[in-house]
Amino acid sequence: MGSIEEETSLLEAEQSLLQEDVKLYAEDGSIDINGNPPLKQKTGKWKACPFIFANECCERLAYYGIAKNLITYFTNELHETNVSAARHVMTWQGTCYITPLIGALIADAYWGRYWTIACFSAIYFSVYLKRFIYSSLRFCSGIQVNELLQDVKIDKIPYQRNCESRSQGPDFGSLTYPSVSSFGADQFDQTDPSERDRKASFFNWFYFSINVGAFVSSTLLVWVQENYGWELGFMIPTVFMGLATASFFIGTPLYRFQKPRGSPITRACQVLVAAYRNMNLKLPEEDNTLLSETTYKNSEHTDGYRFLDKAAMISEENAIHDPWKLCTVTQVEEVKILLRLFPIWASGIIFSVLHSQIYTLYVQQGRSMTRTIGSFNIPPATLGMFDTASVLITVPIYDILIVPFVRKFTGLAKGFTDLQRMGIGLFISVLSLAVAAIVETVRLRLVQESKDLTIFWQVPQYFLMGTAGVFFFVGRIQFFYEQSPDTMRSLCNAWALLTTTLGNYLSSMIVTLVACLSGKDDGWIPSDNLNKGHLDYFFWLLVCLGSVNIPVFVFFSVKYTQKKG
């Protein structure tokens, strides 16, 4: 008996040691730089995050170094009207957020997130270098330009116009944006409760790092561009883009890597085609005829969108496995998840319409106000610093104070649910536009009395919009990462960013339509002088649009079915 007890105790001790060995490694399918299971103590978690944060901070500094003051470049340097400049900026920003779809598809399907970020960061740096060269040529003295162009026998005026257009081309660095946030979240083991809880905090500080870069752009870079010229104003973002690329490579030994798992678009199309080809099959009351799972990670079957279940039904006709006629339950559930995400995704379009005003009409509103302190002239785009300052203030308060307080009532590790957090952001964004409308109404009233309003009255509207971003943007990043299918996390984050594109395009259309209907010279948004218009009416129109969006968002949030498995 003693020997049996000894053997039993030895077996238990061995099992305990094995469990401890397992806990030494991440169990979410990730690998280290050498292709082995990553050691938890040496890879991932917060030790890998500083390099990702530094990369994103410098990259966003470079991006916002162009975006924050682009409307001033169009109006002052290219002499465009208020409406034309606002429309072009919104179109440029919108186009920048189409490219993430391409980068995300490459990351999820072929290269993986690390190599996608690495390759496109290098390309991104070269684009900024080219932009700096073109802008420098444009701002050369007349003699230098003439001598240079005579040597290569190129006409001066067409060449300068070409420089202007090329220097403001699409921002291809956005190709990496969804991959960076997903890659950072991959550093936390989803199967480890302690690491999973830290992931919520990661998204807060990831957004914080973005706005550190944006803050520097709103203050230092805007001031440099307006006081020392656009050559230096474009050179600084180029330098920081180089630092962003270097920072990312330095952290390589500490990273955890997820392998790409094939094209998610192909998988989704297979489900749709198979469901259509099996449309004549009758669905049983139970799911015992559905195909058993054989993929990397199972997904539990859910109710809803039952017609898609036909894609995973076994029948005599599809006994021979054809991926375009018989799919797995996981594939079917991936498509269901995308359909459930769609209404939540669509609500972000209206938020982007409201948020885009901080780069366009908020700036133009500030240009019509008193902007001097003594002999110092405040660039109107500098007020964007209060948008980013509010983020730098709100993120630590939210993570350190609000989350623990709310956790006592909700019992959730992250305080609010992601959808609740997004809803709060939608509400605060509407408040920002309401404040902007009130300020504009007061400003126009004072103009009639030959009085001016100081630009610092804009601070509350910028501050509120920054706070709205902390709630909505961070909540959306985390929501789409956690709810999206495992095989398309980068793609779904890029899909979420597409709302910025559509929001900017929609905002551009609204501005153009309002200008046409209300009049170009004395309408709501006059071509040159806002004192002759009613920008406050336009802001109130956006308040109404945002107010309608909130109950629609709440309705679909309540009906939303959380991801299983």
PDB file of all heavy atoms in Angstrom, residues 523-558:
ATOM      1  N   GLY A 523     -24.513  82.497 -47.031  1.00  0.00           N
ATOM      2  CA  GLY A 523     -25.215  81.340 -46.472  1.00  0.00           C
ATOM      3  C   GLY A 523     -24.682  80.973 -45.102  1.00  0.00           C
ATOM      4  O   GLY A 523     -24.047  81.772 -44.413  1.00  0.00           O
ATOM      5  N   TRP A 524     -24.913  79.740 -44.697  1.00  0.00           N
ATOM      6  CA  TRP A 524     -24.458  79.283 -43.383  1.00  0.00           C
ATOM      7  C   TRP A 524     -22.927  79.263 -43.305  1.00  0.00           C
ATOM      8  O   TRP A 524     -22.346  79.599 -42.271  1.00  0.00           O
ATOM      9  CB  TRP A 524     -24.986  77.880 -43.098  1.00  0.00           C
ATOM     10  CG  TRP A 524     -26.465  77.823 -42.853  1.00  0.00           C
ATOM     11  CD1 TRP A 524     -27.359  78.845 -42.996  1.00  0.00           C
ATOM     12  CD2 TRP A 524     -27.205  76.684 -42.418  1.00  0.00           C
ATOM     13  NE1 TRP A 524     -28.630  78.417 -42.682  1.00  0.00           N
ATOM     14  CE2 TRP A 524     -28.556  77.085 -42.319  1.00  0.00           C
ATOM     15  CE3 TRP A 524     -26.874  75.376 -42.109  1.00  0.00           C
ATOM     16  CZ2 TRP A 524     -29.572  76.222 -41.919  1.00  0.00           C
ATOM     17  CZ3 TRP A 524     -27.875  74.502 -41.714  1.00  0.00           C
ATOM     18  CH2 TRP A 524     -29.215  74.925 -41.614  1.00  0.00           C
ATOM     19  N   ILE A 525     -22.268  78.851 -44.407  1.00  0.00           N
ATOM     20  CA  ILE A 525     -20.799  78.770 -44.427  1.00  0.00           C
ATOM     21  C   ILE A 525     -20.297  79.595 -45.618  1.00  0.00           C
ATOM     22  O   ILE A 525     -20.088  79.063 -46.711  1.00  0.00           O
ATOM     23  CB  ILE A 525     -20.318  77.313 -44.558  1.00  0.00           C
ATOM     24  CG1 ILE A 525     -21.040  76.399 -43.557  1.00  0.00           C
ATOM     25  CG2 ILE A 525     -18.805  77.232 -44.343  1.00  0.00           C
ATOM     26  CD1 ILE A 525     -20.709  74.939 -43.709  1.00  0.00           C
ATOM     27  N   PRO A 526     -20.094  80.907 -45.426  1.00  0.00           N
ATOM     28  CA  PRO A 526     -19.629  81.760 -46.532  1.00  0.00           C
ATOM     29  C   PRO A 526     -18.256  81.331 -47.025  1.00  0.00           C
ATOM     30  O   PRO A 526     -17.468  80.707 -46.294  1.00  0.00           O
ATOM     31  CB  PRO A 526     -19.578  83.155 -45.893  1.00  0.00           C
ATOM     32  CG  PRO A 526     -20.430  83.077 -44.683  1.00  0.00           C
ATOM     33  CD  PRO A 526     -20.319  81.665 -44.200  1.00  0.00           C
ATOM     34  N   SER A 527     -17.953  81.700 -48.269  1.00  0.00           N
ATOM     35  CA  SER A 527     -16.695  81.286 -48.876  1.00  0.00           C
ATOM     36  C   SER A 527     -15.483  81.883 -48.174  1.00  0.00           C
ATOM     37  O   SER A 527     -14.455  81.215 -48.018  1.00  0.00           O
ATOM     38  CB  SER A 527     -16.675  81.687 -50.357  1.00  0.00           C
ATOM     39  OG  SER A 527     -17.711  81.030 -51.059  1.00  0.00           O
ATOM     40  N   ASP A 528     -15.588  83.131 -47.719  1.00  0.00           N
ATOM     41  CA  ASP A 528     -14.421  83.819 -47.177  1.00  0.00           C
ATOM     42  C   ASP A 528     -14.609  84.339 -45.756  1.00  0.00           C
ATOM     43  O   ASP A 528     -13.759  84.137 -44.903  1.00  0.00           O
ATOM     44  CB  ASP A 528     -14.019  84.979 -48.098  1.00  0.00           C
ATOM     45  CG  ASP A 528     -13.645  84.490 -49.489  1.00  0.00           C
ATOM     46  OD1 ASP A 528     -12.821  83.564 -49.578  1.00  0.00           O
ATOM     47  OD2 ASP A 528     -14.180  85.021 -50.476  1.00  0.00           O
ATOM     48  N   ASN A 529     -15.720  84.996 -45.490  1.00  0.00           N
ATOM     49  CA  ASN A 529     -15.909  85.680 -44.209  1.00  0.00           C
ATOM     50  C   ASN A 529     -17.034  85.022 -43.411  1.00  0.00           C
ATOM     51  O   ASN A 529     -18.214  85.164 -43.747  1.00  0.00           O
ATOM     52  CB  ASN A 529     -16.224  87.161 -44.454  1.00  0.00           C
ATOM     53  CG  ASN A 529     -16.212  87.972 -43.173  1.00  0.00           C
ATOM     54  OD1 ASN A 529     -16.067  87.430 -42.079  1.00  0.00           O
ATOM     55  ND2 ASN A 529     -16.361  89.281 -43.312  1.00  0.00           N
ATOM     56  N   LEU A 530     -16.683  84.317 -42.326  1.00  0.00           N
ATOM     57  CA  LEU A 530     -17.703  83.643 -41.519  1.00  0.00           C
ATOM     58  C   LEU A 530     -18.606  84.619 -40.782  1.00  0.00           C
ATOM     59  O   LEU A 530     -19.686  84.234 -40.318  1.00  0.00           O
ATOM     60  CB  LEU A 530     -17.027  82.718 -40.506  1.00  0.00           C
ATOM     61  CG  LEU A 530     -16.340  81.465 -41.063  1.00  0.00           C
ATOM     62  CD1 LEU A 530     -15.748  80.641 -39.921  1.00  0.00           C
ATOM     63  CD2 LEU A 530     -17.308  80.621 -41.872  1.00  0.00           C
ATOM     64  N   ASN A 531     -18.184  85.883 -40.667  1.00  0.00           N
ATOM     65  CA  ASN A 531     -19.020  86.884 -39.996  1.00  0.00           C
ATOM     66  C   ASN A 531     -20.312  87.167 -40.759  1.00  0.00           C
ATOM     67  O   ASN A 531     -21.279  87.671 -40.191  1.00  0.00           O
ATOM     68  CB  ASN A 531     -18.243  88.193 -39.816  1.00  0.00           C
ATOM     69  CG  ASN A 531     -17.078  88.040 -38.859  1.00  0.00           C
ATOM     70  OD1 ASN A 531     -17.062  87.127 -38.035  1.00  0.00           O
ATOM     71  ND2 ASN A 531     -16.097  88.927 -38.972  1.00  0.00           N
ATOM     72  N   LYS A 532     -20.328  86.830 -42.046  1.00  0.00           N
ATOM     73  CA  LYS A 532     -21.518  87.051 -42.871  1.00  0.00           C
ATOM     74  C   LYS A 532     -22.438  85.829 -42.905  1.00  0.00           C
ATOM     75  O   LYS A 532     -23.484  85.863 -43.552  1.00  0.00           O
ATOM     76  CB  LYS A 532     -21.093  87.395 -44.305  1.00  0.00           C
ATOM     77  CG  LYS A 532     -20.262  88.666 -44.423  1.00  0.00           C
ATOM     78  CD  LYS A 532     -19.857  88.901 -45.867  1.00  0.00           C
ATOM     79  CE  LYS A 532     -18.998  90.149 -46.001  1.00  0.00           C
ATOM     80  NZ  LYS A 532     -18.568  90.376 -47.423  1.00  0.00           N
ATOM     81  N   GLY A 533     -22.046  84.758 -42.243  1.00  0.00           N
ATOM     82  CA  GLY A 533     -22.815  83.523 -42.322  1.00  0.00           C
ATOM     83  C   GLY A 533     -23.470  83.145 -41.012  1.00  0.00           C
ATOM     84  O   GLY A 533     -23.650  83.962 -40.111  1.00  0.00           O
ATOM     85  N   HIS A 534     -23.825  81.864 -40.921  1.00  0.00           N
ATOM     86  CA  HIS A 534     -24.435  81.306 -39.708  1.00  0.00           C
ATOM     87  C   HIS A 534     -23.871  79.908 -39.477  1.00  0.00           C
ATOM     88  O   HIS A 534     -24.573  78.914 -39.616  1.00  0.00           O
ATOM     89  CB  HIS A 534     -25.956  81.263 -39.845  1.00  0.00           C
ATOM     90  CG  HIS A 534     -26.629  82.500 -39.343  1.00  0.00           C
ATOM     91  ND1 HIS A 534     -26.700  82.808 -38.001  1.00  0.00           N
ATOM     92  CD2 HIS A 534     -27.233  83.504 -40.018  1.00  0.00           C
ATOM     93  CE1 HIS A 534     -27.346  83.959 -37.851  1.00  0.00           C
ATOM     94  NE2 HIS A 534     -27.670  84.411 -39.057  1.00  0.00           N
ATOM     95  N   LEU A 535     -22.596  79.869 -39.114  1.00  0.00           N
ATOM     96  CA  LEU A 535     -21.961  78.589 -38.826  1.00  0.00           C
ATOM     97  C   LEU A 535     -22.644  77.889 -37.653  1.00  0.00           C
ATOM     98  O   LEU A 535     -22.637  76.658 -37.558  1.00  0.00           O
ATOM     99  CB  LEU A 535     -20.477  78.795 -38.516  1.00  0.00           C
ATOM    100  CG  LEU A 535     -19.606  77.546 -38.323  1.00  0.00           C
ATOM    101  CD1 LEU A 535     -19.641  76.668 -39.565  1.00  0.00           C
ATOM    102  CD2 LEU A 535     -18.168  77.934 -37.982  1.00  0.00           C
ATOM    103  N   ASP A 536     -23.274  78.682 -36.779  1.00  0.00           N
ATOM    104  CA  ASP A 536     -23.984  78.090 -35.639  1.00  0.00           C
ATOM    105  C   ASP A 536     -25.142  77.214 -36.100  1.00  0.00           C
ATOM    106  O   ASP A 536     -25.428  76.171 -35.494  1.00  0.00           O
ATOM    107  CB  ASP A 536     -24.474  79.181 -34.678  1.00  0.00           C
ATOM    108  CG  ASP A 536     -25.282  80.255 -35.385  1.00  0.00           C
ATOM    109  OD1 ASP A 536     -25.145  80.412 -36.617  1.00  0.00           O
ATOM    110  OD2 ASP A 536     -26.048  80.961 -34.699  1.00  0.00           O
ATOM    111  N   TYR A 537     -25.821  77.607 -37.191  1.00  0.00           N
ATOM    112  CA  TYR A 537     -26.899  76.773 -37.718  1.00  0.00           C
ATOM    113  C   TYR A 537     -26.371  75.420 -38.171  1.00  0.00           C
ATOM    114  O   TYR A 537     -27.012  74.382 -37.970  1.00  0.00           O
ATOM    115  CB  TYR A 537     -27.580  77.471 -38.910  1.00  0.00           C
ATOM    116  CG  TYR A 537     -28.354  78.704 -38.554  1.00  0.00           C
ATOM    117  CD1 TYR A 537     -28.892  79.517 -39.551  1.00  0.00           C
ATOM    118  CD2 TYR A 537     -28.558  79.086 -37.227  1.00  0.00           C
ATOM    119  CE1 TYR A 537     -29.606  80.664 -39.248  1.00  0.00           C
ATOM    120  CE2 TYR A 537     -29.270  80.229 -36.906  1.00  0.00           C
ATOM    121  CZ  TYR A 537     -29.787  81.015 -37.928  1.00  0.00           C
ATOM    122  OH  TYR A 537     -30.495  82.153 -37.615  1.00  0.00           O
ATOM    123  N   PHE A 538     -25.185  75.439 -38.801  1.00  0.00           N
ATOM    124  CA  PHE A 538     -24.581  74.186 -39.266  1.00  0.00           C
ATOM    125  C   PHE A 538     -24.239  73.293 -38.081  1.00  0.00           C
ATOM    126  O   PHE A 538     -24.471  72.078 -38.115  1.00  0.00           O
ATOM    127  CB  PHE A 538     -23.336  74.485 -40.092  1.00  0.00           C
ATOM    128  CG  PHE A 538     -22.643  73.256 -40.608  1.00  0.00           C
ATOM    129  CD1 PHE A 538     -23.143  72.572 -41.707  1.00  0.00           C
ATOM    130  CD2 PHE A 538     -21.502  72.764 -39.985  1.00  0.00           C
ATOM    131  CE1 PHE A 538     -22.517  71.423 -42.183  1.00  0.00           C
ATOM    132  CE2 PHE A 538     -20.870  71.623 -40.450  1.00  0.00           C
ATOM    133  CZ  PHE A 538     -21.379  70.954 -41.547  1.00  0.00           C
ATOM    134  N   PHE A 539     -23.683  73.879 -37.032  1.00  0.00           N
ATOM    135  CA  PHE A 539     -23.355  73.097 -35.834  1.00  0.00           C
ATOM    136  C   PHE A 539     -24.615  72.504 -35.200  1.00  0.00           C
ATOM    137  O   PHE A 539     -24.603  71.356 -34.741  1.00  0.00           O
ATOM    138  CB  PHE A 539     -22.611  73.963 -34.824  1.00  0.00           C
ATOM    139  CG  PHE A 539     -21.174  74.254 -35.205  1.00  0.00           C
ATOM    140  CD1 PHE A 539     -20.541  75.413 -34.769  1.00  0.00           C
ATOM    141  CD2 PHE A 539     -20.453  73.382 -36.001  1.00  0.00           C
ATOM    142  CE1 PHE A 539     -19.225  75.684 -35.111  1.00  0.00           C
ATOM    143  CE2 PHE A 539     -19.141  73.646 -36.358  1.00  0.00           C
ATOM    144  CZ  PHE A 539     -18.521  74.808 -35.908  1.00  0.00           C
ATOM    145  N   TRP A 540     -25.693  73.261 -35.172  1.00  0.00           N
ATOM    146  CA  TRP A 540     -26.949  72.735 -34.612  1.00  0.00           C
ATOM    147  C   TRP A 540     -27.490  71.590 -35.475  1.00  0.00           C
ATOM    148  O   TRP A 540     -28.096  70.646 -34.959  1.00  0.00           O
ATOM    149  CB  TRP A 540     -27.994  73.829 -34.479  1.00  0.00           C
ATOM    150  CG  TRP A 540     -27.784  74.751 -33.321  1.00  0.00           C
ATOM    151  CD1 TRP A 540     -27.597  76.099 -33.346  1.00  0.00           C
ATOM    152  CD2 TRP A 540     -27.733  74.376 -31.928  1.00  0.00           C
ATOM    153  NE1 TRP A 540     -27.431  76.604 -32.077  1.00  0.00           N
ATOM    154  CE2 TRP A 540     -27.504  75.565 -31.188  1.00  0.00           C
ATOM    155  CE3 TRP A 540     -27.843  73.167 -31.243  1.00  0.00           C
ATOM    156  CZ2 TRP A 540     -27.402  75.569 -29.798  1.00  0.00           C
ATOM    157  CZ3 TRP A 540     -27.727  73.166 -29.863  1.00  0.00           C
ATOM    158  CH2 TRP A 540     -27.517  74.345 -29.155  1.00  0.00           C
ATOM    159  N   LEU A 541     -27.275  71.673 -36.783  1.00  0.00           N
ATOM    160  CA  LEU A 541     -27.676  70.581 -37.672  1.00  0.00           C
ATOM    161  C   LEU A 541     -26.937  69.294 -37.298  1.00  0.00           C
ATOM    162  O   LEU A 541     -27.542  68.212 -37.244  1.00  0.00           O
ATOM    163  CB  LEU A 541     -27.372  70.961 -39.128  1.00  0.00           C
ATOM    164  CG  LEU A 541     -27.615  69.868 -40.186  1.00  0.00           C
ATOM    165  CD1 LEU A 541     -29.096  69.517 -40.263  1.00  0.00           C
ATOM    166  CD2 LEU A 541     -27.105  70.326 -41.552  1.00  0.00           C
ATOM    167  N   LEU A 542     -25.643  69.409 -37.004  1.00  0.00           N
ATOM    168  CA  LEU A 542     -24.866  68.242 -36.604  1.00  0.00           C
ATOM    169  C   LEU A 542     -25.293  67.732 -35.233  1.00  0.00           C
ATOM    170  O   LEU A 542     -25.247  66.524 -34.972  1.00  0.00           O
ATOM    171  CB  LEU A 542     -23.377  68.577 -36.600  1.00  0.00           C
ATOM    172  CG  LEU A 542     -22.752  68.928 -37.957  1.00  0.00           C
ATOM    173  CD1 LEU A 542     -21.244  69.113 -37.820  1.00  0.00           C
ATOM    174  CD2 LEU A 542     -23.053  67.865 -39.007  1.00  0.00           C
ATOM    175  N   VAL A 543     -25.701  68.637 -34.341  1.00  0.00           N
ATOM    176  CA  VAL A 543     -26.224  68.226 -33.034  1.00  0.00           C
ATOM    177  C   VAL A 543     -27.461  67.353 -33.219  1.00  0.00           C
ATOM    178  O   VAL A 543     -27.613  66.308 -32.558  1.00  0.00           O
ATOM    179  CB  VAL A 543     -26.550  69.451 -32.156  1.00  0.00           C
ATOM    180  CG1 VAL A 543     -27.360  69.043 -30.926  1.00  0.00           C
ATOM    181  CG2 VAL A 543     -25.270  70.151 -31.717  1.00  0.00           C
ATOM    182  N   CYS A 544     -28.350  67.764 -34.121  1.00  0.00           N
ATOM    183  CA  CYS A 544     -29.559  66.969 -34.393  1.00  0.00           C
ATOM    184  C   CYS A 544     -29.188  65.602 -34.967  1.00  0.00           C
ATOM    185  O   CYS A 544     -29.775  64.579 -34.583  1.00  0.00           O
ATOM    186  CB  CYS A 544     -30.468  67.721 -35.372  1.00  0.00           C
ATOM    187  SG  CYS A 544     -31.152  69.252 -34.705  1.00  0.00           S
ATOM    188  N   LEU A 545     -28.212  65.597 -35.868  1.00  0.00           N
ATOM    189  CA  LEU A 545     -27.782  64.331 -36.481  1.00  0.00           C
ATOM    190  C   LEU A 545     -27.216  63.389 -35.418  1.00  0.00           C
ATOM    191  O   LEU A 545     -27.531  62.190 -35.389  1.00  0.00           O
ATOM    192  CB  LEU A 545     -26.726  64.628 -37.548  1.00  0.00           C
ATOM    193  CG  LEU A 545     -26.323  63.480 -38.490  1.00  0.00           C
ATOM    194  CD1 LEU A 545     -27.511  63.027 -39.321  1.00  0.00           C
ATOM    195  CD2 LEU A 545     -25.179  63.933 -39.399  1.00  0.00           C
ATOM    196  N   GLY A 546     -26.378  63.925 -34.533  1.00  0.00           N
ATOM    197  CA  GLY A 546     -25.804  63.103 -33.471  1.00  0.00           C
ATOM    198  C   GLY A 546     -26.847  62.645 -32.466  1.00  0.00           C
ATOM    199  O   GLY A 546     -26.753  61.527 -31.937  1.00  0.00           O
ATOM    200  N   SER A 547     -27.852  63.474 -32.204  1.00  0.00           N
ATOM    201  CA  SER A 547     -28.905  63.125 -31.245  1.00  0.00           C
ATOM    202  C   SER A 547     -29.773  61.983 -31.768  1.00  0.00           C
ATOM    203  O   SER A 547     -30.257  61.157 -30.985  1.00  0.00           O
ATOM    204  CB  SER A 547     -29.773  64.348 -30.938  1.00  0.00           C
ATOM    205  OG  SER A 547     -28.990  65.378 -30.358  1.00  0.00           O
ATOM    206  N   VAL A 548     -29.969  61.924 -33.066  1.00  0.00           N
ATOM    207  CA  VAL A 548     -30.730  60.823 -33.666  1.00  0.00           C
ATOM    208  C   VAL A 548     -29.906  59.537 -33.622  1.00  0.00           C
ATOM    209  O   VAL A 548     -30.447  58.438 -33.431  1.00  0.00           O
ATOM    210  CB  VAL A 548     -31.121  61.173 -35.114  1.00  0.00           C
ATOM    211  CG1 VAL A 548     -31.723  59.957 -35.819  1.00  0.00           C
ATOM    212  CG2 VAL A 548     -32.108  62.324 -35.137  1.00  0.00           C
ATOM    213  N   ASN A 549     -28.604  59.668 -33.765  1.00  0.00           N
ATOM    214  CA  ASN A 549     -27.720  58.501 -33.795  1.00  0.00           C
ATOM    215  C   ASN A 549     -27.677  57.766 -32.455  1.00  0.00           C
ATOM    216  O   ASN A 549     -27.547  56.534 -32.426  1.00  0.00           O
ATOM    217  CB  ASN A 549     -26.300  58.949 -34.184  1.00  0.00           C
ATOM    218  CG  ASN A 549     -25.360  57.780 -34.410  1.00  0.00           C
ATOM    219  OD1 ASN A 549     -25.694  56.797 -35.058  1.00  0.00           O
ATOM    220  ND2 ASN A 549     -24.161  57.890 -33.860  1.00  0.00           N
ATOM    221  N   ILE A 550     -27.794  58.493 -31.352  1.00  0.00           N
ATOM    222  CA  ILE A 550     -27.649  57.880 -30.026  1.00  0.00           C
ATOM    223  C   ILE A 550     -28.725  56.832 -29.738  1.00  0.00           C
ATOM    224  O   ILE A 550     -28.395  55.698 -29.369  1.00  0.00           O
ATOM    225  CB  ILE A 550     -27.625  58.966 -28.924  1.00  0.00           C
ATOM    226  CG1 ILE A 550     -26.332  59.783 -29.032  1.00  0.00           C
ATOM    227  CG2 ILE A 550     -27.727  58.339 -27.533  1.00  0.00           C
ATOM    228  CD1 ILE A 550     -26.269  60.956 -28.084  1.00  0.00           C
ATOM    229  N   PRO A 551     -30.029  57.138 -29.883  1.00  0.00           N
ATOM    230  CA  PRO A 551     -31.027  56.090 -29.605  1.00  0.00           C
ATOM    231  C   PRO A 551     -30.939  54.896 -30.558  1.00  0.00           C
ATOM    232  O   PRO A 551     -31.239  53.766 -30.169  1.00  0.00           O
ATOM    233  CB  PRO A 551     -32.364  56.822 -29.751  1.00  0.00           C
ATOM    234  CG  PRO A 551     -32.083  58.050 -30.525  1.00  0.00           C
ATOM    235  CD  PRO A 551     -30.669  58.421 -30.187  1.00  0.00           C
ATOM    236  N   VAL A 552     -30.520  55.140 -31.799  1.00  0.00           N
ATOM    237  CA  VAL A 552     -30.335  54.037 -32.745  1.00  0.00           C
ATOM    238  C   VAL A 552     -29.216  53.118 -32.242  1.00  0.00           C
ATOM    239  O   VAL A 552     -29.339  51.887 -32.258  1.00  0.00           O
ATOM    240  CB  VAL A 552     -30.009  54.569 -34.155  1.00  0.00           C
ATOM    241  CG1 VAL A 552     -29.675  53.414 -35.093  1.00  0.00           C
ATOM    242  CG2 VAL A 552     -31.180  55.379 -34.704  1.00  0.00           C
ATOM    243  N   PHE A 553     -28.122  53.727 -31.776  1.00  0.00           N
ATOM    244  CA  PHE A 553     -27.010  52.957 -31.229  1.00  0.00           C
ATOM    245  C   PHE A 553     -27.445  52.156 -29.998  1.00  0.00           C
ATOM    246  O   PHE A 553     -27.093  50.974 -29.860  1.00  0.00           O
ATOM    247  CB  PHE A 553     -25.858  53.895 -30.866  1.00  0.00           C
ATOM    248  CG  PHE A 553     -24.731  53.233 -30.126  1.00  0.00           C
ATOM    249  CD1 PHE A 553     -23.756  52.521 -30.809  1.00  0.00           C
ATOM    250  CD2 PHE A 553     -24.642  53.308 -28.739  1.00  0.00           C
ATOM    251  CE1 PHE A 553     -22.723  51.894 -30.137  1.00  0.00           C
ATOM    252  CE2 PHE A 553     -23.610  52.688 -28.058  1.00  0.00           C
ATOM    253  CZ  PHE A 553     -22.649  51.982 -28.759  1.00  0.00           C
ATOM    254  N   VAL A 554     -28.201  52.784 -29.113  1.00  0.00           N
ATOM    255  CA  VAL A 554     -28.662  52.103 -27.896  1.00  0.00           C
ATOM    256  C   VAL A 554     -29.541  50.918 -28.249  1.00  0.00           C
ATOM    257  O   VAL A 554     -29.428  49.830 -27.662  1.00  0.00           O
ATOM    258  CB  VAL A 554     -29.418  53.088 -26.978  1.00  0.00           C
ATOM    259  CG1 VAL A 554     -30.083  52.346 -25.817  1.00  0.00           C
ATOM    260  CG2 VAL A 554     -28.470  54.154 -26.445  1.00  0.00           C
ATOM    261  N   PHE A 555     -30.415  51.089 -29.228  1.00  0.00           N
ATOM    262  CA  PHE A 555     -31.325  50.016 -29.639  1.00  0.00           C
ATOM    263  C   PHE A 555     -30.546  48.779 -30.094  1.00  0.00           C
ATOM    264  O   PHE A 555     -30.815  47.654 -29.639  1.00  0.00           O
ATOM    265  CB  PHE A 555     -32.230  50.508 -30.770  1.00  0.00           C
ATOM    266  CG  PHE A 555     -33.091  49.437 -31.373  1.00  0.00           C
ATOM    267  CD1 PHE A 555     -34.246  49.010 -30.740  1.00  0.00           C
ATOM    268  CD2 PHE A 555     -32.746  48.850 -32.590  1.00  0.00           C
ATOM    269  CE1 PHE A 555     -35.039  48.010 -31.292  1.00  0.00           C
ATOM    270  CE2 PHE A 555     -33.532  47.858 -33.153  1.00  0.00           C
ATOM    271  CZ  PHE A 555     -34.687  47.441 -32.499  1.00  0.00           C
ATOM    272  N   PHE A 556     -29.561  48.976 -30.968  1.00  0.00           N
ATOM    273  CA  PHE A 556     -28.798  47.832 -31.487  1.00  0.00           C
ATOM    274  C   PHE A 556     -27.822  47.287 -30.443  1.00  0.00           C
ATOM    275  O   PHE A 556     -27.479  46.101 -30.482  1.00  0.00           O
ATOM    276  CB  PHE A 556     -28.063  48.229 -32.762  1.00  0.00           C
ATOM    277  CG  PHE A 556     -28.963  48.331 -33.959  1.00  0.00           C
ATOM    278  CD1 PHE A 556     -29.319  49.565 -34.481  1.00  0.00           C
ATOM    279  CD2 PHE A 556     -29.480  47.187 -34.560  1.00  0.00           C
ATOM    280  CE1 PHE A 556     -30.158  49.662 -35.580  1.00  0.00           C
ATOM    281  CE2 PHE A 556     -30.324  47.275 -35.660  1.00  0.00           C
ATOM    282  CZ  PHE A 556     -30.668  48.512 -36.172  1.00  0.00           C
ATOM    283  N   SER A 557     -27.376  48.138 -29.514  1.00  0.00           N
ATOM    284  CA  SER A 557     -26.496  47.659 -28.443  1.00  0.00           C
ATOM    285  C   SER A 557     -27.229  46.695 -27.522  1.00  0.00           C
ATOM    286  O   SER A 557     -26.679  45.678 -27.089  1.00  0.00           O
ATOM    287  CB  SER A 557     -25.952  48.833 -27.634  1.00  0.00           C
ATOM    288  OG  SER A 557     -25.140  49.665 -28.434  1.00  0.00           O
ATOM    289  N   VAL A 558     -28.482  47.010 -27.220  1.00  0.00           N
ATOM    290  CA  VAL A 558     -29.284  46.148 -26.349  1.00  0.00           C
ATOM    291  C   VAL A 558     -29.551  44.805 -27.018  1.00  0.00           C
ATOM    292  O   VAL A 558     -29.551  43.752 -26.381  1.00  0.00           O
ATOM    293  CB  VAL A 558     -30.608  46.850 -25.970  1.00  0.00           C
ATOM    294  CG1 VAL A 558     -31.527  45.888 -25.236  1.00  0.00           C
ATOM    295  CG2 VAL A 558     -30.323  48.072 -25.105  1.00  0.00           C
TER     296      VAL A 558
END
